[in-house]
Amino acid sequence: MGETIQSVERAAAILRLLASGPRQLGVAELAKALGLPKGTLHGILRTLVRVGFVEQDLATGKYRLGATLLHLGSSYLDVNELRTRSINWADALAGRSRESAWIGTLHEGHVLVIHHVFRPDDSMQTLQVGTYLPTHASALGKVLLAHDPYGEAPAAPLRAYTKATLTDPKALETELDQVRARGWAAEREELTEGEVAIAAPIKDARGIVVGAIGIRGAVERLAPDGALHMEYVSYVRDAARAITRALAR
Amino acid sequence: MPRPHYVAAIDQGTTSSRCIVFDEAGNIISVAQREHRQIFPRPGWVEHDADEIWQAVRGLLGEAVSGAGIENAQIAALGITNQRETTVLWDRETGRPVCNAIVWQDTRTDALTRALAEHEGLFKERAGLPLATYFSGPKIRWLLDEIPGLRERAERGEVLFGTMDSWLLWNLTGRHITDVTNASRTMLMDIHTLGWDDELLAAMGVPGAMLPEIRPSAEVYGRTSGGVPVASALGDQQAALFGQTCFAPGETKSTYGSGSFLLMNTGHEPVVSKHGLLTTVGYQIGSGPATYALEGAIAVTGSLVQWLRDNLGLISSAAEIETLAKTVDDNGGCYFVPAFSGLFAPHWRSDARGVIAGLTGFVNKGHLARAVLEATAWQTREVVDAMNADSGLDLTTLRADGGMTADNLLMQTLADVLAVPVIRPMVAETTALGAAYAAGLATGYWPDVESLRANWHKAAEWRPAIGEAVREREYRNWKKAVARTLGWVEQDEGSRP
């Protein structure tokens, strides 16, 4: 291990002290407990307050843990919670588009299908919740890659599922730029011959993309003359916006 | 081009009121929702402020309409569906409630219902219901006994009774009416004639002057101040039966909310259960004959998940129960029977209280989460067995709806314990959809029930995936756990929590 940074260690010690009891602590108390000069502490506390990890009580001038820090560990949106909050809008999307609706999240480099609504034609279909889709060859995956906060590219080589699969990392990067720019992704027979998919991002209250929703169907229906029918794109984007609004409440 | 028209439904539920706008295909266009307070004055007592609920409801239609980006004039009909049995008494002159509403879960009438035991046969035979704290009749009687001067005013017709449908219809249209499905939950209506019954009224001690006029579930009752026809009212579970398009005898739905309710359409004749189910009116469209249903009511299913969240703090949202349950492969030998206010169908034992059985040092919170989900599945199995025995038919698929159908593990567990496929329809909000369907039928927005059937689509299906030997062993264990809940409350402490 290399050398450590002293001020980060001191910040951690302050946070531990503030977390150790229900009491708010003043600079003098912190200084005494940590054996540090008040001036040093002021600088660290000011920084911690600015990033929201510590709050100062305006009446007493004492310090306590900040709301941002408290939310750090619990801000992750449970996938079952996401399904629960999305279910009405995924149903409505399948109902209006007459195609199957899907919701996915990123999981260890793949798209995990967390919700699936059958195409409403009462044909034989099997529930695909819990299965995985490749990120680079699915519309859901492209949306999730385009908004992945870690920005990790899928591991090369990119597998070709059909002739149309994007296997060149540069071509994929260009496509992801386009997804970010226009707010939705398409996949034209890139995973399965004859199937087309459209997807759009679902954002949480902080504006972070927590999932993608989309539809998948036969190319003859979604893109009969080679071009996607924009009507389907607007159904998908409406559903994504409705869920985003629901998550903001 | 003519602007498209829609149908709206107000779903006045136990914890919140919602207004949902649907299009002609039954798709949800917009949702508006407001919660109201749960008032717990004492252990076992649950009340609502009816005024607060009306104030919430009156704004919802406008909110849902503007949320859809449309205008009032594009709403072809408004339907109402409501939490059932919850009892409101109000002053005819001022239109204000005379006290808080007593909610269906409230058990304050426990001693009173026991005192009515001599009439048990009459209630079962004529109203189709067992004696239980659950229904409206005992709640009205309790209020008339407890609030000084109320009985005299009720006899003079100055104080009116209504379930939530009546209360909303009174405020929306100015009429004192109720629908036949809600009336069938009071213990005061003859299930055969569909009218208030003098003998039932005398046995319960409720004056007829305070009762609303009984109307069909679907007809134009009046118009809102904004001119929208108010055209249906159904109790929530009956609305879900209608929303699931269970129009033929034998068709069955199961709704998973705070409690769970299986209803089977039994056609135009009331069927008296020999296995602990209720006989209830399913719906009545206009001047047509009434359609009846057998009902299996389970008091605690989704509310057990909330209990795990609120009282134990094991999860931070109801949906997380699935995440927690999936941290383990099975229940670890643990079974949870949530007889929090006794057991409803098929047992009807008010002396039962909850148990967690089979605990060992091995059991952890994941196993407990599994046991919580399995409790919903096994309680459903008990009701399905009763329904199969009463109807002589074997359930071949379960049509499940309601909020808990978002829980995939629960749906799979249901398929496993019932040994039949479980199907979720495209619109999980079948309660509001049923009220919308009935209202749209009354105003001609939809021509007939066949056009509604065409709207029903399968959204998901779960197939049984466990072996018969495992299923039988688990059912045996569940029954042993249920046996341990019985007889916990002794008669003289029956009114204690």
Side-chain angles (χ1 to χ4, degrees), chain B residues 13-80:
Chain B
T14 305
T15 57
S16 71
S17 304
R18 297 186 305 164
C19 181
I20 303 186
V21 177
F22 295 94
D23 69 13
E24 200 178 342
N27 296 315
I28 293 179
I29 300 299
S30 78
V31 180
Q33 176 167 0
R34 289 196 199 165
E35 302 202 344
H36 57 262
R37 286 174 305 139
Q38 307 294 312
I39 303 164
F40 303 106
R42 296 188 202 182
W45 290 30
V46 190
E47 299 180 350
H48 288 158
D49 176 349
D51 248 344
E52 179 189 357
I53 287 178
W54 164 240
Q55 292 309 326
V57 165
R58 71 185 309 173
L60 281 177
L61 178 61
E63 217 175 291
V65 163
S66 63
I70 58 175
E71 291 167 17
N72 253 343
Q74 286 171 270
I75 300 295
L78 175 67
I80 292 171

Side-chain angles (χ1 to χ4, degrees), chain B residues 309-323:
Chain B
R309 180 192 67 193
D310 299 338
N311 294 32
L312 296 192
L314 286 184
I315 45 177
S316 59
S317 76
E320 279 175 31
I321 183 97
E322 187 174 355
T323 312

